[in-house]
Amino acid sequence: MKILITGGAGYIGSHTCVELLNKNNELIIVDNLSNSKYEAIKRIKQISGKEVKFYHTDILNEIEMDIIFQENNIEAVIHFAGSKAVGESCQIPLEYYKNNVTGSIKLFQMMQKHNVKKLVFSSSATVYGLNDNVPFKEEFPLSATNPYGRTKLMIEEILRDLYSSDNFWQISLLRYFNPVGAHPSGLLGEDPQGIPNNLMPFISQVAVGKLEKLRIFGNDYPTKDGTGVRDYIHVVDLAKGHLKALEKLREGHGCQPYNLGSGEGNSVLEVIQAFEEASNKKIPYEIVERRAGDIATSFADPSKANSKLEWKTKKTLLEMCADSWNWQRKNPKRY
Ligand code: NAD
Ligand code: UD1
């Protein structure tokens, strides 16, 4: 299949490209490299031993995107491109609405113009808002607590309206839980700019000695040990979920959301323990105030993806930590 991947040089996109190439798909990657490096594209080729077509382009650029659609006989799109930092989205909301919402609308218009109506969209568990009623099911009411989350919710709504207007569209809304880990080769991984916001990259940088200690945001939550509980999912398992979602689009299923998570919750202390075991390094930490906007517990009910997509997570928390550590060790200065 000939697939356009927006944001394919990024963390989840690059891992998905490798899995797609392993199954002999033809890829056209569009990325403006605003949060990634060209090196990731080289490494996708190195791991897979296959060529990809890369355009250093912004999805907001209609002229270039039109040419890309004209030049390539695109059959489906996987749309990763977007900005993803929650804190930053509160500081520069207009940039987030422009990049995520306007960028997506322009992409969907271009798809419509070129009659490409198969789409896999990167949504997020953030669309369940402050709901603490675990496990999260796809039919739960949706809400958002910050501009980033609202962009995901808006794009989901836009896609539901688009499908209602034209049933030829086939759309998967993949609600990722907490993607962590890296490619087992140590060649691809998460490459955050500056000090990481998320738990696993922060722990990895403490382990490698770049950061002094982890700050645990609260130990007074109503959870097993008081620290926040999340559904961590290995990025390679997540990448494989995209292949299953694409297969489903070919069968025709309308516009469907799917939770991509393991269905299990782990606390911050459990992640630290697993990371220490995987890396043989001590992770110093201190307990600090809760982080605004955090919920106590979030984990998926993945039964819809398990049954309809025939997809299930395979990798354990220990493997996630081992691969994150392997990536961090091999790339101490990022890509
Ligand atoms: P990432 O930042 O590593 O990848 C996004 C890629 O999109 C980057 O390579 C960036 O350069 C590119 N990009 C951004 N704006 C663009 C534009 N206007 N035109 C072209 N390229 C553009 O992020 P990621 O972690 O790989 O996330 C991928 C998608 O999954 C995002 O939409 C994100 O919101 C969503 N998501 C991520 C997580 C997570 O924890 N990483 C969780 C839920 C959902
Ligand atoms: C965060 C975002 C969410 C986004 C997701 C993936 C917020 C409020 N939520 O989710 O919208 O979809 O990332 O990008 O930012 N923790 C610490 N210390 C740290 C970092 C995290 O104790 O330095 C704790 C958090 O309180 C949480 C857990 O670790 O309990 C996981 O945090 P994180 O990796 O940031 O993911 P989420 O908060 O689930």
Side-chain angles (χ1 to χ4, degrees):
M1 204 176 193
K2 245 185 154 176
I3 308 161
L4 174 73
I5 314 285
T6 73
Y11 173 45
I12 304 168
S14 57
H15 287 83
T16 305
C17 286
V18 168
E19 299 304 319
L20 288 164
L21 290 166
N22 287 344
K23 297 278 182 212
N24 296 321
N25 291 287
E26 249 181 273
L27 303 187
I28 297 106
I29 301 177
V30 170
D31 201 301
N32 66 1
L33 303 181
S34 57
N35 197 36
S36 52
K37 302 227 178 78
Y38 182 69
E39 181 64 25
I41 302 292
K42 289 196 199 158
R43 296 194 186 180
I44 291 169
K45 294 186 198 171
Q46 185 184 341
I47 296 171
S48 65
K50 308 248 169 69
E51 275 309 309
V52 297
K53 217 163 171 181
F54 176 69
Y55 292 89
H56 185 186
T57 300
D58 196 301
I59 57 165
L60 284 153
N61 187 328
E62 288 159 272
I63 296 171
E64 287 183 24
M65 289 298 288
D66 203 10
I67 294 170
I68 292 168
F69 273 87
Q70 279 166 31
E71 281 180 356
N72 300 284
N73 208 357
I74 293 163
E75 294 167 74
V77 176
I78 308 184
H79 178 32
F80 296 102
S83 312
K84 63 166 182 175
V86 173
E88 189 183 59
S89 79
C90 299
Q91 288 153 5
I92 48 167
L94 293 180
E95 288 304 314
Y96 269 66
Y97 288 115
K98 181 179 170 197
N99 202 39
N100 292 6
V101 181
T102 311
S104 295
I105 292 174
K106 286 187 185 236
L107 172 70
F108 307 153
Q109 283 176 322
M110 204 52 74
M111 290 173 67
Q112 195 160 43
K113 178 174 174 188
H114 294 274
N115 203 27
V116 179
K117 294 187 175 173
K118 292 190 177 68
L119 172 71
V120 176
F121 171 62
S122 300
S123 187
S124 166
T126 194
V127 298
Y128 295 112
L130 291 178
N131 200 329
D132 231 348
N133 185 12
V134 284
F136 296 161
K137 298 180 196 298
E138 284 85 354
E139 59 273 19
F140 273 14
L142 305 178
S143 66
T145 56
N146 55 67
Y148 165 72
R150 256 183 293 283
T151 67
K152 291 291 169 194
L153 196 49
M154 284 177 185
I155 300 164
E156 281 206 6
E157 302 285 17
I158 289 167
L159 289 170
R160 278 186 277 272
D161 287 341
L162 185 57
Y163 174 69
S164 302
S165 75
D166 174 359
N167 288 180
F168 281 105
W169 281 87
Q170 294 296 319
I171 302 167
S172 287
L173 309 168
L174 301 185
R175 296 180 183 155
Y176 310 154
F177 279 69
N178 286 59
V180 295
H183 195 267
S185 63
L187 288 168
L188 293 175
E190 192 168 7
D191 189 34
Q193 297 179 16
I195 295 175
N197 299 308
N198 298 114
L199 182 64
M200 191 65 89
F202 202 107
I203 292 181
S204 310
Q205 293 197 13
V206 171
V208 85
K210 262 178 141 178
L211 295 169
E212 192 199 337
K213 62 181 166 198
L214 173 71
R215 292 159 64 237
I216 298 183
F217 299 139
N219 68 348
D220 57 352
Y221 284 108
T223 59
K224 43 188 144 185
D225 57 26
T227 64
V229 165
R230 297 291 182 272
D231 185 337
Y232 296 95
I233 168 173
H234 195 293
V235 65
V236 173
D237 277 339
L238 181 62
K240 289 181 175 162
H242 293 74
L243 275 72
K244 294 290 191 176
L246 264 181
E247 277 173 32
K248 203 74 195 167
L249 292 187
R250 282 206 266 198
E251 287 171 25
H253 71 157
C255 176
Q256 290 290 334
Y258 295 100
N259 284 340
L260 296 190
S262 70
E264 276 175 42
N266 284 110
S267 71
V268 177
L269 290 174
E270 285 173 333
V271 176
I272 294 174
Q273 198 182 20
F275 200 98
E276 289 185 337
E277 191 182 332
S279 64
N280 216 7
K281 295 267 175 192
K282 193 87 199 123
I283 307 296
Y285 65 81
E286 63 174 330
I287 310 289
V288 299
E289 289 291 285
R290 289 180 178 192
R291 180 171 65 180
D294 273 359
I295 52 175
T297 304
S298 155
F299 60 88
D301 175 345
S303 50
K304 185 177 172 190
N306 295 166
S307 61
K308 298 260 187 307
L309 300 182
E310 294 172 36
W311 170 91
K312 216 174 179 334
T313 58
K314 295 211 173 90
K315 295 186 184 255
T316 63
L317 182 61
L318 196 61
E319 289 173 281
M320 300 179 211
C321 293
D323 287 335
S324 293
W325 173 235
N326 184 40
W327 154 253
Q328 180 66 63
R329 237 170 5 109
K330 288 188 173 151
N331 304 269
K333 296 195 174 131
R334 310 180 56 211
Y335 273 120

